[in-house]
Amino acid sequence: MAQHRYVLPESAIPTQWYNVMADLPSPPPPPLDPGTGQPVGPDALTPIFPMALIGQEVSGDRWIPVPDPVREVYAMWRPTPLHRALGLERALGTSCRIFYKYEGVSPAGSHKPNTSVPQAYYNREEGVRRLTTETGAGQWGSSLSFACQIFGMECKVYMVRVSYDSKPYRRVMMETWGGTCVASPSTETAAGRAILEANPDSPGSLGIAISEAVEEAASREDTNYSLGSVLNHVLLHQTVVGQEAKQQLEMAGAFPDVVVGCVGGGSNFAGLAFPFLADKAAGRDIRIVAAEPAACPTLTRGHYGYDFGDTAGMTPLLAMHTLGHGFVPPAIHSGGLRYHGMAPLVSHLVHLGLVEPRAYTQTECFREAVRFAGAEGIIPAPEPSHAIRAVVDEVERAKEEGVERTILFNLCGHGHLDLAAYHAYLTGEMTDLELDQSELDRAAAELADLPALA
Amino acid sequence: MAQHRYVLPESAIPTQWYNVMADLPSPPPPPLDPGTGQPVGPDALTPIFPMALIGQEVSGDRWIPVPDPVREVYAMWRPTPLHRALGLERALGTSCRIFYKYEGVSPAGSHKPNTSVPQAYYNREEGVRRLTTETGAGQWGSSLSFACQIFGMECKVYMVRVSYDSKPYRRVMMETWGGTCVASPSTETAAGRAILEANPDSPGSLGIAISEAVEEAASREDTNYSLGSVLNHVLLHQTVVGQEAKQQLEMAGAFPDVVVGCVGGGSNFAGLAFPFLADKAAGRDIRIVAAEPAACPTLTRGHYGYDFGDTAGMTPLLAMHTLGHGFVPPAIHSGGLRYHGMAPLVSHLVHLGLVEPRAYTQTECFREAVRFAGAEGIIPAPEPSHAIRAVVDEVERAKEEGVERTILFNLCGHGHLDLAAYHAYLTGEMTDLELDQSELDRAAAELADLPALA
């Protein structure tokens, strides 16, 4: 019988994170201080991050050790399984081989604990007892609540209003792990109050929620801030995913021709793809595809330049693909992909032509998610259904070209808390939200006053 | 670093199910035809079950082969991991070793697909293209929908009204896998209409839903019925759980002093415990504990005798612990444990003194579930929180006796679709429903007209 799943013992959990910075043909442009226009130094970040993470953020070392206490928590669910998508291959009638890494087996149901655990750990090591953060769909907020609970810390989560209202159970999950969750924009911060004054019905956005969480962390001595995606150290922590996948593909006697992930801030994509970029850098023929929502098309329709990571303009300026920090994405079901910007590392790789971006509408993604659920059993989160949609594209392309390819993607989370979205799809109530080009233009115009890329 | 999880390769999926019938000191009393009072023959069951399952229902063979196509579907999620509960041990401050088998990694999130898959398979092999069933919390209905989808069959689920209303997302899950789900009592069957006439606001019960599903299967040529617990063949299929656990405990150099499971109909309990009953029968010193809800205390306060498996009296009479087939359990959050009866095999073992029953209130179970979630990460379904509660009892008992024990329990499902119940607990809105003794007496009185046990 053909093998469905490749599992590894605990001893195979990576002992080091892989830092793609070491294998880039050129470094990405540095973050800038918005006041001076000069690169930010570590000191600018110490009010909200611990030194260990600041060090990882700027490190050029190829390998960075995973502390033993972090590895021990990883062992609660890692290594995650690699699945051969035998059912999906049959359903698609393809002779391509499709593999997926399944991160939905973590306590929070996604890849997010891969970084929430080390972030909580490093903060606690430096005496911090309380963390704030933002969350979109709720995956990140619940993952940080879990990690804080494990290390005996407090966790305060600003959850994007539209998700807070449509996903009450993600909040309950955070509370079950001892976290506190408020809807953003909230009245608890100056940033939140300013947004609410301008628009009392604001659906919120990740950019707004980041402003609130950063403001609270910066203004409280006992509190640091924790980000669930975008930054270099976050992407770094996720590379356990791709490293394990390599070991598992070796068990299967396979190596991918195409690696696929969905992108919002970029972290699950990077976690799977970056370890394979090392192979690409070494000359191996491998294509890497990033799938984003057509309703928040940062990589495919955004501008590559300097922008704030948050809406209120409290963060350093990041060199990234962006729709403008004032852009509020439509209320699609993939809350985790509703971000105006993109990880600087992912943006840089797209700019260099090493990563191919694609955009898909939510209904076409849900159509594939339902087919996947019927064929593979697992009900995907809406976010990775974008990756599945891209995989189907790759299968069709291989058929047209008359070749058989090995395709690897990251199934970064399950959809157990997204069944309202499935209901909307199954009953025909789901629509695709057409983006107004004038809205994109308006958002991009905000960038005119910010420094240009060199 | 201490090992958290014990994983097995696909080749370790059991090739045979273990039939405890072969190791019982005496056989359980046979099912009776309610009309004649005589043991039912296979012919009575052919309108609703395929011959292969009828054969397994009455088999005395110790080992029954798992067909290859079933094993291949099992491989989509099996072998499931065995966890060492290192976090819970720390939280309890115990030197007992606690292990749990985690069945929540299945597509439907519980142990139920272990039997839905072979049941769908055997039905399809005998030409059946459509199955009906009942579901309480929705775990079983979604598991059978999944299995039918895999084998290209139709699935119709009668879902207990109180769960249908409180768990809309379980229904969406069934629909995502192509199943059809209606609230029970429904107007689609004579049994349902009769109940609704007497009580239009009936919250429903598993007994009522079984009546409806059996009625539809018996009256349609193309349709069979499928039961998610109670019957011998269902418990048989679950024994993959205990067999894998044995292999994994061997990897850990451990053997349990105590085996614990929660019981509603009895199947997840039996799946873990029966393979260890073989060791107990062979003289090994091992205690086996069944944990049930105080609001539906079948084993601890019920009567051991003949009763119908359903409310309308359509099934054969089963020798079991029962609260009376007219008993409608209070609307506790553990919908999967709201059954008036108990598997005849489990009842027989309790009667023989080989299994110890215990009853717990839902608030004490949720208290332990929240502690477990904080310590182990996984948020348990409400049903196995009864098992966790019993484990804590065992830990306290070991402490009192000054001994260290190895405790094994079945974490038969996750609570991702039960977060409304966690919300009720965390906000103090959850209450314990005191059972009225007169209600138990009334229910037991129904049994007076039925045959007595020999």
Side-chain angles (χ1 to χ4, degrees), chain A residues 22 36 49 61 114 125 128 130 154 170 205 229 260 267 290 391 454:
Chain A
T36 65
F49 291 124
D61 297 346
N114 296 332
E125 284 296 289
V128 176
R130 190 165 176 279
E154 277 180 57
R170 272 285 166 196
S205 71
S229 190
V260 179
S267 79
V391 166

Side-chain angles (χ1 to χ4, degrees), chain B residues 111-112 132-142 157-164 167 174 181-186 189 191-192 195 202-215 225-231 263-268 293 296 298 307-315 318 320 322-343 383:
Chain B
H111 63 293
K112 294 286 187 185
T132 64
T133 196
E134 76 294 329
T135 199
Q139 291 276 16
W140 171 242
S142 48
V157 180
Y158 289 90
M159 184 169 187
V160 175
R161 163 63 72 183
V162 62
S163 294
Y164 185 92
K167 298 188 153 194
M174 296 176 219
C181 176
V182 296
S184 166
S186 79
T189 65
I195 301 271
S202 167
S205 70
L206 279 170
I208 295 169
I210 294 173
S211 294
E212 295 206 85
V214 168
E215 180 184 324
Y225 167 71
S226 180
L227 188 64
S229 190
V230 178
L231 297 180
V263 281
S267 79
N268 96 76
C296 190
T298 317
D307 195 7
F308 292 104
D310 70 324
T311 299
M314 302 179 66
T315 70
L318 303 173
M320 61 183 179
T322 174
L323 297 163
H325 58 275
F327 178 76
V328 177
I332 54 168
H333 290 283
S334 295
L337 306 183
R338 290 179 69 243
Y339 183 57
H340 70 274
M342 181 56 63
E383 291 82 359

Side-chain angles (χ1 to χ4, degrees), chain A residues 3-5 7-8 10 72 75-79 83 149 169 172-173 177 373-374 376-377 414 416 419-420, chain B residues 3-5 7-8 10 72 75-79 83 149 169 172-173 177 373-374 376-377 379 414 416 419-420:
Chain A
Q3 195 164 341
H4 271 271
R5 292 189 315 136
V7 294
L8 294 167
E10 259 171 54
E72 194 165 337
M76 292 169 76
W77 74 95
R78 303 207 71 85
H83 289 243
Q149 174 88 317
Y169 297 137
V172 178
M173 196 176 232
W177 284 317
E376 292 290 316
H414 62 62
H416 301 164
L419 289 162
Chain B
Q3 194 164 342
H4 271 271
R5 294 189 313 137
V7 294
L8 294 167
E10 259 171 53
E72 193 166 336
M76 291 169 76
W77 73 94
R78 302 207 73 84
H83 289 242
Q149 174 86 319
Y169 296 137
V172 178
M173 196 175 232
W177 283 316
E376 291 290 316
I379 297 179
H414 62 63
H416 301 164
L419 289 162

Side-chain angles (χ1 to χ4, degrees), chain A residues 161-449:
Chain A
R161 164 63 71 182
V162 62
S163 294
Y164 185 92
D165 291 339
S166 66
K167 299 189 153 194
Y169 297 137
R170 272 285 166 196
R171 175 174 52 77
V172 178
M173 196 176 232
M174 296 177 219
E175 290 166 351
T176 300
W177 284 317
T180 304
C181 176
V182 297
S184 167
S186 80
T187 56
E188 302 198 15
T189 65
R193 288 189 294 270
I195 301 272
L196 286 173
E197 212 160 286
N199 179 10
D201 298 327
S202 167
S205 71
L206 279 170
I208 296 168
I210 293 172
S211 293
E212 295 205 85
V214 168
E215 179 184 325
E216 183 179 334
S219 62
R220 281 185 62 157
E221 192 61 47
D222 65 341
T223 301
N224 263 354
Y225 167 71
S226 180
L227 187 63
S229 190
V230 178
L231 296 180
N232 299 352
H233 68 272
V234 182
L235 276 53
L236 174 80
H237 299 155
Q238 293 293 349
T239 60
V240 290
V241 177
Q243 291 184 69
E244 286 177 9
K246 275 195 188 185
Q247 295 182 63
Q248 290 162 313
L249 285 170
E250 206 165 305
M251 293 164 75
F255 193 86
D257 300 300
V258 190
V259 175
V260 179
C262 66
V263 281
S267 79
N268 96 76
F269 167 80
L272 181 68
F274 282 7
F276 291 96
L277 268 163
D279 301 275
K280 192 175 170 78
R284 192 121 189 193
D285 185 19
I286 176 171
R287 282 178 29 246
I288 299 181
V289 174
E292 67 181 7
C296 191
T298 318
L299 289 173
T300 51
R301 295 174 70 186
H303 175 80
Y304 183 49
Y306 273 110
D307 196 6
F308 292 103
D310 70 323
T311 299
M314 302 180 65
T315 70
L317 292 167
L318 302 174
M320 62 183 178
H321 287 80
T322 174
L323 297 164
H325 59 274
F327 179 75
V328 177
I332 54 168
H333 291 283
S334 296
L337 306 185
R338 290 179 69 245
Y339 183 57
H340 70 275
M342 181 56 62
L345 277 170
V346 173
S347 293
H348 185 56
L349 288 161
V350 168
H351 181 66
L352 293 173
L354 296 171
V355 169
E356 306 169 27
R358 310 246 181 90
Y360 299 103
T361 64
Q362 66 178 349
T363 53
E364 63 184 326
C365 293
F366 270 88
R367 185 184 69 226
E368 295 309 329
V370 169
R371 169 154 63 182
F372 185 87
E376 292 290 316
I378 299 167
I379 297 179
E383 290 83 0
S385 72
H386 291 75
I388 300 171
R389 178 65 192 83
V391 166
V392 174
D393 256 1
E394 285 298 324
V395 162
E396 282 165 11
R397 179 174 168 163
K399 192 176 178 183
E400 280 164 22
E401 297 175 15
V403 295
E404 289 174 9
R405 294 211 173 91
T406 298
I407 303 169
L408 169 69
F409 74 97
N410 199 2
L411 185 61
C412 63
H414 62 62
H416 301 164
L417 279 83
D418 302 282
L419 289 162
Y422 278 86
H423 178 72
Y425 175 75
L426 292 169
T427 55
E429 288 160 22
M430 184 179 286
T431 52
D432 287 322
L433 307 150
E434 196 57 41
L435 264 195
D436 194 343
Q437 182 62 43
S438 67
E439 166 68 9
L440 291 179
D441 294 341
R442 193 200 57 69
E446 296 170 359
L447 304 178
D449 296 335

Side-chain angles (χ1 to χ4, degrees), chain A residues 32-92:
Chain A
L32 302 183
D33 183 311
T36 65
Q38 295 303 306
V40 291
D43 289 356
L45 303 172
T46 51
I48 58 169
F49 291 124
M51 278 313 297
L53 292 177
I54 295 171
Q56 292 180 358
E57 187 65 21
V58 298
S59 173
D61 297 346
R62 183 171 282 108
W63 297 105
I64 294 177
V66 181
D68 280 345
V70 170
R71 246 180 123 242
E72 194 165 337
V73 180
Y74 278 172
M76 292 169 76
W77 74 95
R78 303 207 71 85
T80 60
L82 179 81
H83 289 243
R84 169 86 182 269
L86 292 167
L88 181 63
E89 290 174 19
R90 268 195 299 274
L92 294 173

Side-chain angles (χ1 to χ4, degrees), chain B residues 352-381:
Chain B
L352 294 173
L354 296 172
V355 168
E356 306 168 28
R358 310 249 179 88
Y360 298 103
T361 63
Q362 66 178 350
T363 53
E364 62 184 326
C365 294
F366 271 89
R367 186 184 68 227
E368 296 308 331
V370 169
R371 169 153 62 181
F372 184 88
E376 291 290 316
I378 299 167
I379 297 179

Side-chain angles (χ1 to χ4, degrees), chain B residues 258 287 289 358 390-398 405 407:
Chain B
V258 190
R287 284 178 28 247
V289 174
R358 310 249 179 88
V391 166
V392 174
D393 256 2
E394 286 298 324
V395 163
E396 282 165 11
R397 179 172 168 164
R405 293 212 174 90
I407 303 168

